[in-house]
């Protein structure tokens, strides 16, 4: 009661913020006459003055009213659009580093120009993040007219651009691009071997369009750059042949009585958690089938350490067959090398070309569909969107639906959500959900509703949750003789065109989730595109152009009035999504800028959300009311029950994302350290001091392995130390004779003697090649060693993560255990990089300056081949030599599989001999 009372007296936090922002809007409006009087050139000079004032110490907040007023004036002249007052408020929210919730059709694209121009005044660059390349290119061109008018430069960052093009895009005042491309560029920048190869500047300020889609829906999808690992195609095919012989269990047994299974089977599949588990009988049957397939030796168990990966592949194949469905989770479409499996984004219904499921799941789906299996990859660099976007000095976001996820934005990103009121009041009618017993009855009702709208000339947008459902509705409408357009992942290129005309009288548009389409549905259809074509036609005179454009606008006004009279755009949704936000996005397509509209959700007890969460309760109500076939329940209590189920799913998804972030934070802290060290190495011209420090540390550890600290002479193994230095480090250090002839020697003296011998041997090498030539070689070796072991470390963290939950059975906290072991692995990584770099540089055979230059080029060329992880091959005497004469250089060694015999002839497998990972 008390919070409600206080809110009624003082207003909510949102109301108080809006009140503050409205005061600033009044200041901006007061400046409008002053800037209206200026010529175009004078407006541009104002921008130059703002930059000078900011450079002189004036804050962006102090400049805000004037800059916003100039941008509004520029918008009126360059775009023929004037920013509404609510867009001014939205611009202030974004500049303050918050999330602005603005309803669909309120003009978010134009609103973003205000904070973008204000922050571009600092000269540090502004990134605008969109959900796809089409929107990045469209918005950059569309709003670029205003930016160029004000004297600012605009760049577009797209995939497949050259390094020079990307550098130019990032060098502009304002850069448009997709979340994926920004993240990948960050990772690629931390894999380069020359400073001039980096493309990004510092991460200053970003505005994320469709912020809920990018920071929440995609938060569980890490960005991964990977290289090719070992080929296991035959394994996937053999395991795929085993799966049809395993039977799915229906129902679940009570662990105490063993009763309750409807139909016993070999495995259970949980649709809610997307997991599969073998039953006890299933384990035995799977072992027999794998033995028959020649994958498991006779008498061996799936739980043996040597065969644990088989279990992993078996579960991946079971998931592929029973939890991942064609035309819902993925589609099969033609690719460059034949048909390929392409993932469908569960939130937007878009194809995610280039993305692959990890842990062998994608290969299992390829085996199931009978398409060519792409080899598994090894992670070279990865980051989650959560950790990438948290690196920006300031972050703002805008979307039509953020309020339901406000807690997550605050908790994970520290972003407050501000709900911006619409420019005109919303008059859309949101009707209660209709719940039917079966899908058949539901679809019959949907077709009838659509037929009624079509006959009355009311446009309809039909919302579905998957490609499969959209095609089913299309088939039913085809049978009913109703003309329609289908908008799903398969019509990606035409989506903006279809959406633009979805408001014409009687038009029926079927769409998968409507997130981030970026195009407004205008009642009566969108005539802007046709007007642009007429204006671009060089064969027409200005008078003809004006006449044709006026004719189009008159036609549109008639159609607009006709659609409004029919009730505006009607939204017909065929089921509830598990997230309320996605449902709100669909509803928000209707009723823009005060237009009329209506929406209704049609549900059945066979829908996944109803079946899993709310089906039994609603079914009981239907039976109690003795509902006849074809009748639907329409009641607030049912809608609230469904909303409660959606809240449960949202809370569970939030917990999963938060847990993922807590684990990724461990890797992220380590990533920051490695990347900071890497950048330091890259930006240094000479790292001789660093190499000396590393070498001394490595040699000290070698000595300590044979001569413990603060030990007595009887505990020393000087013969072993001499042999280790000679065989591993190519250092001839006389220790036994020296200790015997000296009066008193401490363990510290021994360390000092070995370190001095290392320094002396190294100086001889550097003197032969020359410091100027040897320095780039040192840098290349250190960078490549760091990169190689960081890649191996990422794989180790992946494996650690997969099994860490089992620590819970030992009454240990899995997160704490993960942090502890990840830290140990990281310490080991740093030691390994130090030792390997020092050993390689101390043992490499270089006799001249030319050889040093050639060696540098060889290391850098090897480093650029990220596809194959490189291994260092020692010579028979233990040294590591670099080939010096290109004329006599041996051809590159063929790629050796991890389980192939080692080429050295030892008789061991490669992974147990020269391919052993440090």
């Amino acid at each position: 009661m008390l919070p409600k009372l206080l809110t009624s007296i003082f207003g909510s936090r949102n109301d108080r913020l809006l009140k503050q922002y409205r005061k600033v809007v009044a200041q901006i409006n007061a400046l409008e006459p002053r800037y209206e009087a200026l010529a175009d050139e004078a407006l541009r000079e104002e921008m130059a003055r703002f930059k000078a004032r900011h450079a002189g110490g004036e804050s962006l907040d102090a400049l805000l009213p004037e800059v916003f007023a100039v941008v509004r004036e520029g918008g009126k002249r360059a775009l023929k659009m004037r920013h509404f007052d609510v867009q001014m408020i939205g611009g202030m929210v974004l500049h303050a580093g918050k999330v602005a919730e603005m309803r669909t059709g309120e003009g978010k694209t134009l609103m973003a120009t205000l904070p973008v121009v204000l922050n571009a005044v600092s000269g540090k660059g502004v990134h605008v993040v969109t959900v796809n390349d089409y929107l990045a290119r469209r918005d950059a061109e569309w709003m670029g007219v205003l930016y160029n008018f004000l004297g600012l430069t605009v760049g577009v960052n797209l995939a497949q651009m050259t390094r020079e093009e990307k550098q130019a895009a990032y060098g502009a005042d304002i850069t448009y691009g997709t979340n994926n491309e920004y993240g990948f560029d960050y990772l690629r920048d931390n894999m380069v071997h020359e400073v001039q190869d980096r493309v990004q500047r510092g991460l200053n300020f970003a505005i994320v369009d469709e912020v809920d889609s990018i920071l929440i829906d995609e938060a569980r999808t890490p960005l991964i750059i990977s290289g090719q690992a070992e080929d296991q195609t035959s394994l996937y095919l053999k395991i795929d042949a085993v799966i049809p012989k395993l039977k799915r269990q229906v129902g679940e047994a009570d662990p105490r009585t063993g009763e309750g299974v409807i139909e016993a089977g070999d495995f259970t599949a949980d649709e809610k958690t997307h997991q599969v588990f073998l039953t006890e009988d299933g384990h035995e049957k799977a072992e027999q089938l794998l033995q028959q397939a020649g994958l498991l030796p006779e008498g061996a168990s799936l739980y043996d350490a040597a065969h644990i990966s088989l279990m992993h592949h078996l579960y991946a194949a079971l998931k592929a067959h029973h939890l991942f469905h064609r035309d819902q989770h993925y589609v099969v479409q033609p690719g460059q090398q034949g048909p390929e499996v392409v993932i469908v984004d569960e939130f937007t219904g878009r194809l995610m070309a280039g993305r692959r499921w990890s842990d062998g799941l994608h290969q299992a789906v390829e085996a199931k569909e009978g398409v060519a299996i792409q080899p598994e990859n090894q992670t070279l660099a990865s980051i989650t969107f959560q950790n990438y976007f948290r690196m920006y000095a300031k972050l703002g976001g805008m979307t039509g639906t953020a309020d339901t996820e406000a807690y997550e934005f605050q908790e994970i990103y520290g972003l407050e959500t501000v709900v911006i009121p619409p420019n005109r009041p919303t008059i859309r009618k949101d009707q209660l959900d209709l719940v039917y017993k079966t899908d058949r009855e539901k679809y019959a009702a949907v077709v009838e509703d659509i037929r009624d709208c079509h006959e009355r000339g009311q446009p309809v947008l039909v919302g579905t949750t998957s490609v499969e459902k959209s095609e089913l509705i299309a088939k039913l409408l085809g049978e009913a003789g109703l003309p329609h357009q289908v908008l799903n992942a398969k019509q990606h290129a035409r989506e903006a065109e279809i959406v633009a005309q979805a408001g014409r009288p009687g038009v029926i548009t079927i769409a998968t989730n409507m997130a981030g389409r970026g195009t407004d549905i205008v009642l009566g259809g969108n005539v802007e595109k046709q007007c642009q074509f007429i204006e671009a036609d060089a064969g027409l005179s200005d008078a003809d152009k004006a006449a044709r454009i006026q004719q189009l606008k008159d036609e549109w006004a008639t159609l607009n009035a006709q659609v409004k009279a029919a009730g505006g755009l009607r939204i017909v949704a065929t089921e509830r999504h598990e997230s309320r936000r996605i449902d709100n996005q669909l509803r928000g397509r209707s009723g823009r800028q005060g237009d009329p509209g209506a929406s209704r959700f049609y549900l059945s007890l066979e829908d996944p959300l109803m079946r899993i969460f709310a089906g039994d309760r609603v079914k009981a109500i239907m039976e109690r009311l003795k509902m006849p076939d074809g009748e639907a329940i329409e009641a607030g209590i049912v809608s609230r029950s469904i909303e409660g189920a959606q809240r449960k799913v949202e809370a569970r998804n939030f917990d999963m994302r938060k847990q993922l972030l807590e684990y990724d934070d461990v890797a992220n802290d380590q990533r920051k350290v490695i990347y900071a060290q890497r950048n330091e190495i890259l930006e240094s011209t000479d790292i001789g001091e660093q190499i000396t420090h590393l070498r001394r540390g490595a040699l000290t550890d070698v000595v300590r392995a044979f001569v413990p600290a603060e030990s007595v002479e009887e505990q020393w193994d000087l013969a072993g130390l001499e042999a280790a230095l000679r065989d591993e480090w190519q250092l001839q250090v006389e220790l036994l004779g020296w200790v015997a002839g000296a009066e008193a020697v401490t363990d510290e003296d021994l360390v000092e003697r070995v370190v001095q011998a290392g320094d002396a041997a190294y100086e001889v090498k550097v003197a032969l090649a020359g410091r100027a030539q040897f320095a780039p070689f040192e840098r290349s070796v250190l960078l490549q060693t760091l990169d190689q072991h960081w890649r191996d470390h990422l794989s180790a963290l992946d494996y650690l993560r997969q099994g860490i939950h089992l620590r819970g059975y030992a009454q240990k906290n899995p997160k704490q255990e993960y942090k502890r072991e990840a830290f140990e692995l990281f310490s080991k990584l740093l030691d390994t990089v130090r030792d390997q770099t020092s050993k390689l540089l101390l043992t490499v055979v270089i006799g001249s300056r030319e050889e040093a230059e050639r060696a540098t080029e060889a290391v850098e060329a090897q480093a650029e081949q990220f596809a194959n992880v490189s291994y260092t091959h020692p010579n028979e005497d233990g040294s590591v030599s670099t080939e010096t004469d290109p004329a006599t250089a041996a051809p590159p060694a063929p790629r050796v599989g991890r389980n192939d015999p080692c080429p050295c002839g030892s008789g061991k497998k490669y992974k147990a001999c020269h391919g052993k990972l440090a």
Side-chain angles (χ1 to χ4, degrees):
M1 282 298 293
L2 187 62
K4 279 188 180 175
L5 178 67
L6 292 172
T7 303
S8 65
I9 297 169
F10 300 108
S12 66
R13 161 87 177 152
N14 203 78
D15 296 337
R16 294 196 299 276
L17 282 171
L18 291 175
K19 200 173 176 182
Q20 286 174 24
Y21 293 140
R22 283 195 179 102
K23 287 177 185 171
V24 184
V25 171
Q27 292 175 37
I28 297 165
N29 290 343
L31 292 167
E32 196 165 5
R34 173 178 138 196
Y35 290 118
E36 276 178 334
L38 295 179
D40 292 356
E41 196 51 50
L43 262 187
R44 274 190 282 279
E45 285 169 9
E46 283 294 311
M47 288 303 300
R49 270 198 286 276
F50 293 145
K51 287 182 178 179
R53 280 164 62 187
H54 180 64
E58 199 167 342
S59 72
L60 292 177
D61 292 344
L63 292 169
L64 187 145
E66 293 168 82
V67 174
F68 275 29
V70 166
V71 176
R72 175 187 264 175
E73 188 56 37
K76 279 155 54 178
R77 298 183 194 188
L79 298 171
K80 310 285 185 284
M81 289 193 277
R82 180 184 180 275
H83 295 77
F84 300 133
D85 286 359
V86 289
Q87 287 173 310
M88 291 283 167
I89 293 172
M92 285 181 251
V93 169
L94 292 180
H95 169 67
K98 302 181 194 297
V99 171
E101 181 187 287
M102 271 184 110
R103 292 192 185 163
T104 302
E106 291 290 313
K108 290 189 282 290
T109 309
L110 182 64
M111 170 188 81
T113 57
L114 297 158
V116 162
V117 172
L118 175 59
N119 284 273
V121 165
S122 70
K124 293 177 184 173
V126 176
H127 293 173
V128 184
V129 187
T130 64
V131 289
N132 61 31
D133 285 346
Y134 161 75
L135 288 176
R137 201 183 288 109
R138 186 204 72 174
D139 292 356
E141 286 171 8
W142 186 15
M143 296 299 130
V145 176
L146 168 58
Y147 300 136
N148 294 334
F149 176 80
L150 294 173
L152 298 170
T153 54
V154 187
V156 190
N157 174 33
L158 302 172
Q160 284 91 46
M161 279 170 70
T162 64
R163 182 179 292 149
E164 290 73 22
E165 288 170 333
K166 276 185 176 287
Q167 285 170 338
Y170 279 112
D173 294 315
I174 300 144
T175 311
Y176 280 81
T178 64
N179 48 327
N180 288 346
E181 212 47 39
Y182 285 121
F184 280 134
D185 285 339
Y186 170 74
L187 292 176
R188 282 190 286 257
D189 274 0
N190 284 289
M191 293 167 80
V192 300
H193 277 249
E194 293 296 336
V195 174
Q196 60 268 27
D197 291 341
R198 291 193 296 208
V199 296
Q200 282 189 342
R201 301 198 267 167
L203 304 179
N204 172 44
F205 175 52
I207 290 178
V208 184
D209 192 9
E210 301 298 346
V211 66
D212 52 339
S213 178
I214 290 172
L215 295 191
I216 289 179
D217 297 343
E218 297 204 32
R220 278 164 56 197
T221 313
L223 291 172
I224 297 173
I225 291 181
S226 49
Q228 208 162 310
E230 195 179 347
D231 188 12
Q232 293 184 306
T233 304
S234 61
L235 174 67
Y236 289 111
L237 293 171
K238 284 180 182 174
I239 286 187
D240 189 69
V242 166
I243 300 303
K245 297 169 187 171
L246 294 171
K247 187 178 161 193
R248 182 171 177 172
Q249 180 171 298
V250 180
E252 203 170 333
D254 187 311
R256 291 164 297 181
T257 62
E259 295 172 3
V261 174
I262 297 166
E263 199 178 318
D266 302 313
F267 67 92
T268 60
D270 188 340
E271 290 180 56
K272 201 185 289 188
T273 59
H274 246 56
Q275 294 293 330
V276 288
F277 300 101
L278 287 172
T279 60
E280 281 193 39
D281 292 342
H283 270 293
E284 290 177 21
K285 189 171 176 182
E287 284 175 357
Q288 287 168 10
L289 291 168
L290 291 170
Q291 282 167 9
Q292 288 165 18
L295 296 171
L296 194 66
E298 198 70 40
S301 163
L302 268 173
Y303 284 114
D304 290 346
H307 311 301
I308 201 80
S309 65
L310 273 180
M311 187 73 133
H312 173 79
H313 289 304
L314 189 66
Y315 275 150
L318 281 169
K319 282 183 192 174
H321 276 263
H322 296 279
L323 294 175
F324 287 80
H325 306 297
R326 186 171 177 163
D327 285 344
Q328 182 182 345
H329 298 102
Y330 62 90
V331 295
V332 176
Q333 65 172 31
Q336 290 175 337
Q337 280 94 34
E340 60 184 21
V341 171
V342 182
I343 302 172
V344 173
D345 186 329
E346 62 173 313
F347 292 101
T348 63
R350 285 197 166 87
L351 291 185
M352 300 163 81
R355 290 257 190 112
R356 291 175 67 78
W357 287 304
S358 57
D359 295 334
L361 177 61
H362 208 99
Q363 288 82 354
V365 172
E366 286 168 333
K368 165 191 160 187
E369 292 293 345
V371 304
I373 296 175
Q374 307 295 324
E376 268 191 90
N377 288 334
Q378 184 196 11
T379 301
L380 305 179
S382 80
I383 193 167
T384 58
F385 285 127
Q386 292 164 318
N387 275 321
Y388 173 70
F389 283 108
R390 291 197 307 180
M391 286 191 292
Y392 278 90
K394 186 165 67 173
L395 181 67
M398 52 188 185
T399 179
T401 45
D403 207 29
T404 55
E405 311 292 349
Y407 178 70
E408 182 161 351
F409 282 126
Q410 184 67 57
E411 186 80 359
I412 289 181
Y413 302 98
L415 292 172
E416 185 178 5
T417 301
V418 181
V419 180
I420 315 289
N423 188 42
R424 292 179 186 159
T426 305
I427 58 169
R428 183 185 68 235
K429 291 173 188 164
D430 293 331
Q431 297 169 313
L432 289 171
D433 301 357
L434 287 180
V435 185
Y436 291 84
K437 272 186 185 171
T438 65
D439 276 349
R440 186 179 51 77
E441 294 169 25
K442 174 181 80 172
Y443 290 127
V446 165
V447 172
E448 276 314 303
D449 190 346
I450 295 168
R451 189 197 303 279
D452 171 57
C453 293
H454 181 67
E455 285 168 359
R456 289 188 293 102
Q458 183 175 13
V460 186
L461 177 65
V462 187
T464 65
T465 56
S466 69
V467 177
E468 188 182 26
K469 294 277 167 62
S470 68
E471 290 181 347
L472 171 65
I473 298 282
K475 182 167 166 274
L476 293 172
L477 292 180
E479 288 168 3
L482 294 168
H484 56 274
Q485 289 269 32
V486 182
L487 172 64
N488 61 30
K490 293 184 177 178
Q491 274 81 30
H492 194 88
R494 289 177 55 225
E495 74 174 33
E497 190 186 317
I498 294 172
V499 172
Q501 303 311 327
R504 294 177 78 84
V507 166
I508 301 166
T509 310
I510 304 168
T512 46
N513 306 324
M514 287 298 298
R517 298 288 181 197
T519 310
D520 284 339
I521 297 177
V522 181
L523 298 189
N526 195 333
V527 292
E528 276 182 28
K529 267 270 183 281
Q530 289 142 298
C531 292
Q532 283 170 13
F533 288 138
I534 292 170
E535 282 174 355
D537 191 342
L540 293 173
S541 68
D542 288 350
D544 285 345
K545 284 179 185 175
R548 286 203 186 181
I549 287 171
Q550 192 54 49
Q551 186 188 345
L552 273 176
K553 286 183 176 173
D554 292 343
E555 280 173 19
W556 173 81
T558 310
L559 293 174
N560 180 266
Q562 189 184 329
V563 170
K564 281 184 175 174
L569 178 69
R570 180 165 179 78
I571 304 290
V572 174
T574 58
E575 67 182 271
R576 284 269 186 184
H577 195 275
E578 62 179 37
S579 167
R580 289 171 297 160
R581 190 166 38 81
I582 309 290
D583 292 341
N584 292 343
Q585 280 169 353
L586 180 61
R587 270 200 165 127
R589 290 279 149 189
S590 173
R592 62 183 283 284
Q593 288 291 336
D595 284 339
S599 72
R600 171 160 262 162
F601 281 78
Y602 286 85
L603 315 175
S604 92
L605 296 183
E606 293 174 6
D607 291 347
L609 189 79
M610 294 290 290
R611 196 181 73 239
I612 296 169
F613 290 100
D616 294 342
R617 195 184 308 168
V618 180
K619 196 173 189 177
I621 295 170
M622 282 186 154
E623 282 168 1
R624 207 172 298 137
L625 297 173
K626 297 186 171 58
M627 303 277 293
D629 285 351
E631 284 287 314
I633 279 188
E634 179 182 4
I637 188 170
V638 175
S639 295
R640 284 194 295 276
S641 169
I642 294 159
E643 217 164 275
Q646 288 176 307
R647 276 202 186 90
K648 280 183 208 162
V649 181
E650 284 167 13
R652 192 175 137 271
N653 287 343
F654 168 57
D655 286 341
M656 285 164 73
R657 286 190 290 266
K658 195 172 180 196
Q659 183 139 330
L660 183 91
L661 183 66
E662 284 171 356
Y663 279 104
D664 191 62
D665 276 345
V666 177
N668 194 50
D669 291 340
Q670 298 179 0
R671 187 188 299 114
K672 282 178 184 169
V673 172
I674 291 291
Y675 285 177
Q677 286 194 351
R678 213 181 174 283
N679 286 329
E680 206 177 297
I681 297 164
L682 264 186
E683 287 158 16
S684 306
T685 47
D686 191 336
I687 56 164
E689 204 173 306
Q690 208 170 337
I691 295 293
T692 301
H693 180 69
L694 293 177
R695 184 179 60 254
R696 288 175 178 172
L699 289 173
T700 300
D701 279 4
V702 172
V703 176
R704 289 299 178 208
F706 296 91
V707 181
E710 298 177 7
S711 57
V712 292
E713 203 171 314
E714 286 73 21
Q715 295 172 279
W716 298 353
D717 178 8
L718 297 179
L721 177 56
E722 279 187 10
L725 291 169
R726 182 179 63 248
D727 298 340
E728 288 182 46
W729 295 81
Q730 299 293 292
L731 283 178
Q732 302 289 345
V733 189
E734 176 59 39
L735 295 173
L736 278 165
W738 177 66
V739 169
E743 285 183 20
V745 175
T746 64
D747 54 305
E748 292 292 342
D749 294 336
L750 280 169
V751 171
E752 188 61 31
R753 185 172 175 85
V754 171
V755 166
Q756 282 175 359
D759 288 350
Y762 197 72
E763 287 309 318
V764 169
K765 206 176 295 280
V766 173
L768 274 171
R771 184 71 222 156
Q773 276 68 34
F774 204 75
F777 178 62
E778 287 176 330
R779 191 159 146 269
S780 300
V781 166
L782 180 53
L783 276 177
Q784 197 193 345
T785 310
L786 187 66
D787 288 346
Q788 178 190 325
H789 290 290
W790 174 241
R791 299 198 288 265
D792 296 341
H793 179 70
L794 287 175
S795 297
L797 285 182
D798 280 347
Y799 288 126
L800 175 64
R801 174 77 208 281
Q802 283 169 21
I804 203 73
H805 63 279
L806 298 171
R807 304 289 173 88
Y809 293 114
Q811 306 301 310
K812 290 180 178 176
N813 182 333
K815 279 180 209 156
Q816 292 302 328
E817 289 292 293
Y818 181 74
K819 283 179 183 173
R820 185 179 59 76
E821 290 210 19
F823 179 72
E824 285 174 14
L825 284 170
F826 189 63
S827 302
K828 210 175 284 181
L829 159 76
L830 296 178
D831 287 347
T832 307
V833 170
R834 179 197 69 185
D835 294 351
Q836 288 231 339
T837 304
S838 304
K839 195 179 289 185
L840 205 148
L841 288 171
L842 200 56
T843 55
V844 72
V845 180
I846 290 181
S848 71
R849 296 172 185 220
E850 293 74 26
E851 286 169 12
E853 285 174 9
R854 282 202 293 268
T856 307
E857 285 165 17
V859 173
E860 285 176 355
Q862 193 179 18
E864 280 168 16
Q865 295 169 347
F866 286 118
N868 291 322
V869 179
S870 51
Y871 297 95
T872 306
H873 292 270
N875 297 328
E876 287 175 352
D877 63 356
S879 67
V880 182
S881 62
T882 304
E883 196 65 52
T884 55
D885 185 358
T888 59
R895 188 166 179 273
V896 185
R898 303 272 296 128
N899 289 309
D900 294 347
C902 190
C904 74
S906 65
K908 295 180 183 176
K909 284 185 179 179
Y910 178 62
K911 66 181 180 186
C913 189
H914 284 83
K916 190 181 286 187
L917 292 175

